[in-house]
Amino acid sequence: MTIRKTIIVTEQQDAWIKAQIGEGHYTNDSELIRDLIRRDQERGSKIAAMQKLVDEARAGGTSDLSMDEIKDLARQRLQQ
């Protein structure tokens, strides 16, 4: 199901949209707007996943290892 929306953009934004369509990146305004929304949703999901990792790392406490030792361990795990 689709829902019709009306948006207002500046002249500069309209020119950019028209340029994107003119360059063949999109066939119309709606396609471009939907793509921008999808990209922003994906970006938000990635940021949330990274924040979760940061929160988990902070909750895990500290390590007695040096940064070089941590990097070595990470390299070893990648090779396995």
Side-chain angles (χ1 to χ4, degrees):
M1 177 177 171
T2 59
I3 298 172
R4 180 175 295 274
K5 295 280 185 184
T6 301
I7 63 168
I8 299 171
V9 297
T10 66
E11 287 182 18
Q12 181 184 13
Q13 291 166 335
D14 186 53
W16 182 82
I17 291 169
K18 288 178 180 175
Q20 296 302 303
I21 294 167
E23 292 172 10
H25 299 296
Y26 302 94
T27 57
N28 57 48
D29 296 22
S30 293
E31 184 182 348
L32 181 144
I33 299 299
R34 285 190 303 270
D35 186 50
L36 292 174
I37 292 169
R38 275 190 299 273
R39 288 183 194 195
D40 191 58
Q41 289 171 329
E42 290 171 4
R43 180 179 169 268
S45 294
K46 289 177 183 177
I47 289 171
M50 285 188 282
Q51 185 62 54
K52 183 179 180 218
L53 291 173
V54 168
D55 293 344
E56 289 172 358
R58 286 184 172 163
T62 60
S63 172
D64 293 331
L65 300 175
S66 71
M67 186 54 80
D68 287 334
E69 291 170 322
I70 293 171
K71 289 177 185 178
D72 288 341
L73 281 173
R75 287 186 192 103
Q76 289 172 10
R77 289 182 185 171
L78 283 173
Q79 292 174 354
Q80 293 176 353

